[in-house]
Amino acid sequence: MQFPQWPRQAANHFRQRFDVHSLQFQLTIGIAAMSVVGISSVTLGIAWKLDYLIISSHKKQVEQLAKRFSESVEIYSEMMSVDEAIERAIAYLATEENSIWVVRPDGTIARSPSLARGGQERLLLVADRQATPIPKVFRIRESYWAICAGDLQVDAHTVGTINIARNITVDRQMFRKLLWTLSSVSAIAIGVITIAIAFYIKKSLQPLQKFSQLTASFSAEQLGKEQLYLDSAPSELHQLENAFNQMLERFHESWEHQREFVSDVSHELRTPLTIVSGYLQSTLRRGSNLTDPQKEALTIASSEADRTVQLLEDLLELARADSGHLHFRKEPVFLNDFASEVVEMAKQYNPDRAIEFENSPELIEVCADFNRLKQVLLNLIDNAVKYSPSDRPVTVTVSRDKDRGIIQVRDRGPGIPLAQQTRIFERFYRPDEARSRTTGGTGLGLSIVKTLVEGMGGMVSLRSKQGEGSIFMVNLRLIDSNLKKVQQIK
Ligand code: ADP
């Protein structure tokens, strides 16, 4: 059996369009439900009261008519026979609306003209079976009647049963119309109120959305420099804003303590470790009587000491950058000559590796700190060499894209999975810890590259495909004179 798809599709569409867990949705639904309950109760209350008033006024009139009829029969019977008195009273008090009939003890009936015309047998039957001295409302076919019945007495003798029936159909129909109008107006009012409330809540929650957008866009670099500021927000949000800013302040302080601690520890450890490394290396050089296991142990100790000194230097560099004490000596740098020089230097460090250089035909001049940029490029080439097979070349390319000068370092290694590409520039992030350890790095190289490039006003990015290799791109803004040349060439 196939179930129709549309209810599920409609539910999915609704879920996509409205966030049912949002405060806005829940407040709107809650207030709308309350207004439905409130307005419906008022409407029902009014309708019930109105109905009660109309019916009780009819019942009262029926009761009074019965009383007047008894009194009239009593008066007329002093001047004429009881039967004639009854006929007279009926003729005097009966109208189109009020039907009166008296059932005599012998079963004969004296009735008002409206009943005499016939067609009211059912009314007579209902009155005979169900009517009481206290008036009640009966529905007989399509009409409504207020009916009462009781003994008719003259001089303390029962001379028959009097029945009074008042036709209240017109009033009932009017009441129904009124009820319908009242319900329609209430439904429209509920709809209008719900829409108005939804807009009002949306508007009231806008500062909250702005608050979350601002907090989401708050970066670590802004800590201690900027604060969150919301204008024209409700006072509750200002309290939240203050609490958030105080929390940021505490974060900033603890971040500062941590940075100072890292900086002090790195500084204190660097000098003794450099001395240890120096002693180990000189012992290795001069120790002609060392056994092979001793030499191996000393070599491992020396390389670990070097790695730790490198780690401490990287940490110091990052701590300086974090505290804003990393200074750049910016000057015009021709990327063509610069990259060629650094590639030559890298070839000397890695004589067994093929490091290719692809130059740009046009001169590309950017504004950068020569030594820091050298550090960046050497780091990227070093990584490319470390993380790709030794028989594959590493290629350094210089090019231009619009107003940016670009240096690319490409390797043909295993590449970096997409999920890790966004985190690769984080401190100490190493996707493959086991493999990275054997290469002797610290996990800080790429975060230093990023810090230095951004410090020079540039950007570093990565394009990598698993199995094909990675391309790290550093792009820096061309300096103005270079830009002018580019515009002239165009
Ligand atoms: P380190 O090289 O000291 O481990 P980096 O910050 O330079 O630290 O690099 C972080 C991690 O990124 C490395 O451990 C390595 O797993 C990965 N990585 C860096 N460069 C490449 C590359 N060219 N190819 C593949 N993986 C790389």
Side-chain angles (χ1 to χ4, degrees):
M1 191 175 140
Q2 282 239 323
F3 289 103
Q5 287 294 306
W6 70 266
R8 198 180 309 153
Q9 285 168 358
N12 283 345
H13 179 73
F14 182 81
R15 240 173 272 137
Q16 280 164 9
R17 183 125 173 63
F18 301 102
D19 176 6
V20 288
H21 300 293
S22 71
L23 195 58
Q24 183 182 344
F25 186 83
Q26 289 179 2
L27 276 177
T28 309
I29 291 295
I31 297 178
M34 277 194 282
S35 64
V36 168
V37 172
I39 294 179
S40 309
S41 322
V42 171
T43 309
L44 286 178
I46 292 174
W48 178 82
K49 188 71 191 169
L50 214 62
D51 193 34
Y52 175 78
L53 288 176
I54 292 170
I55 285 182
S56 52
S57 112
H58 282 301
K59 283 181 179 171
K60 209 170 204 151
Q61 286 182 34
V62 168
E63 225 170 2
Q64 280 170 357
L65 197 60
K67 211 169 150 205
R68 278 181 65 198
F69 186 83
S70 298
E71 287 166 5
S72 304
V73 171
E74 192 98 34
I75 295 166
Y76 288 137
S77 62
E78 287 171 10
M79 296 175 269
M80 55 192 83
S81 72
V82 172
D83 273 352
E84 281 173 346
I86 290 171
E87 296 286 353
R88 255 291 173 73
I90 289 176
Y92 176 54
L93 292 172
T95 58
E96 272 302 307
E97 229 181 10
N98 300 321
S99 301
I100 303 172
W101 70 101
V102 176
V103 184
R104 299 193 191 90
D106 60 3
T108 56
I109 302 175
R111 60 186 87 189
S112 59
S114 58
L115 288 173
R117 282 200 295 273
Q120 299 289 11
E121 291 75 21
R122 185 139 179 84
L123 171 64
L124 301 187
L125 202 69
V126 170
D128 184 40
R129 288 196 186 151
Q130 297 177 45
T132 59
I134 296 163
K136 283 193 212 160
V137 173
F138 296 94
R139 184 178 172 184
I140 299 167
R141 292 209 177 91
E142 292 308 307
S143 51
Y144 290 87
W145 296 84
I147 306 174
C148 78
D151 287 346
L152 177 65
Q153 294 195 330
V154 175
D155 291 337
H157 292 293
T158 305
V159 294
T161 311
I162 171 185
N163 295 274
I164 310 254
R166 184 175 170 79
N167 191 343
I168 59 169
T169 312
V170 175
D171 279 6
R172 297 288 306 162
Q173 280 168 349
M174 262 172 54
F175 171 73
R176 277 204 183 159
K177 272 188 198 157
L178 191 80
L179 191 65
W180 172 246
T181 315
L182 216 60
S183 310
S184 314
V185 170
S186 305
I188 292 170
I190 288 169
V192 171
I193 288 175
T194 307
I195 292 171
I197 285 171
F199 276 109
Y200 181 72
I201 290 175
K202 191 173 180 196
K203 197 168 174 300
S204 308
L205 291 179
Q206 260 166 6
L208 208 59
Q209 276 174 350
K210 200 176 158 202
F211 184 79
S212 70
Q213 277 165 5
L214 279 176
T215 47
S217 65
F218 210 90
S219 64
E221 286 75 39
Q222 287 166 289
L223 271 182
K225 292 180 201 148
E226 285 175 39
Q227 289 210 321
L228 212 71
Y229 177 67
L230 279 175
D231 52 347
S232 63
S235 51
E236 289 87 347
L237 261 190
H238 278 306
Q239 285 169 12
L240 196 64
E241 177 193 305
N242 287 341
F244 187 79
N245 281 333
Q246 282 165 13
M247 191 180 75
L248 283 184
E249 194 54 44
R250 288 197 293 275
F251 270 148
H252 174 59
E253 278 168 20
S254 83
W255 172 241
E256 280 296 298
H257 287 150
Q258 188 192 337
R259 192 188 52 69
E260 275 166 26
F261 175 75
V262 171
S263 170
D264 293 349
V265 169
S266 311
H267 203 266
E268 290 301 317
L269 290 180
R270 191 177 52 165
T271 317
L273 260 175
T274 313
I275 295 169
V276 168
S277 168
Y279 276 126
L280 285 171
Q281 275 166 16
S282 76
T283 311
L284 261 173
R285 266 198 311 274
R286 292 197 203 130
S288 49
N289 53 352
L290 290 173
T291 62
D292 282 350
Q294 282 172 332
K295 272 189 192 162
E296 196 186 336
L298 281 175
T299 311
I300 293 171
S302 164
S303 85
E304 279 303 306
D306 284 349
R307 204 176 77 86
T308 314
V309 170
Q310 183 58 47
L311 172 71
L312 293 172
E313 269 170 10
D314 288 352
L315 280 174
L316 266 174
E317 189 97 315
L318 285 172
R320 254 182 254 137
D322 289 341
S323 61
H325 291 135
L326 198 64
H327 296 296
F328 294 91
R329 283 189 42 238
K330 286 204 201 166
E331 55 187 334
V333 175
F334 283 105
L335 287 188
N336 319 66
D337 296 346
F338 162 79
S340 150
E341 199 178 298
V342 178
V343 167
E344 286 310 314
M345 199 183 284
K347 278 183 184 166
Q348 282 171 19
Y349 293 142
N350 305 279
D352 305 332
R353 283 302 291 265
I355 303 176
E356 299 165 352
F357 176 53
E358 288 175 6
N359 206 348
S360 161
E362 57 182 311
L363 273 183
I364 296 171
E365 194 181 18
V366 295
C367 185
D369 180 321
F370 189 90
N371 288 326
R372 301 268 187 218
L373 195 56
K374 191 158 89 181
Q375 189 181 345
V376 166
L377 190 50
L378 280 176
N379 209 322
L380 292 177
I381 296 175
D382 189 41
N383 273 354
V385 168
K386 274 196 298 191
Y387 299 111
S388 66
S390 53
D391 56 342
R392 311 261 173 89
V394 169
T395 313
V396 176
T397 315
V398 167
S399 60
R400 181 183 67 78
D401 182 22
K402 294 182 190 129
D403 61 340
R404 321 285 298 184
I406 297 170
I407 307 177
Q408 291 187 0
V409 179
R410 175 175 179 201
D411 65 63
R412 278 90 174 166
I416 299 165
L418 193 65
Q420 292 162 358
Q421 288 180 20
T422 46
R423 301 197 56 199
I424 205 86
F425 294 100
E426 286 176 18
R427 292 174 192 184
F428 294 113
Y429 184 74
R430 306 174 98 189
D432 186 350
E433 186 64 36
R435 198 164 63 91
S436 304
R437 259 205 160 267
T438 59
T439 60
T442 60
L444 289 173
L446 286 178
S447 56
I448 290 181
V449 164
K450 187 170 187 283
T451 307
L452 293 181
V453 173
E454 287 178 357
M456 289 184 276
M459 274 187 307
V460 60
S461 56
L462 162 66
R463 234 174 34 218
S464 182
K465 206 165 179 195
Q466 267 186 298
E468 288 183 18
S470 313
I471 304 174
F472 282 86
M473 279 169 293
V474 172
N475 80 59
L476 293 154
R477 219 180 125 76
L478 296 178
I479 61 173
D480 285 346
S481 59
N482 207 245
L483 259 181
K484 269 182 217 145
K485 260 187 256 160
V486 170
Q487 277 157 4
Q488 276 164 14
I489 291 167
K490 272 187 192 165

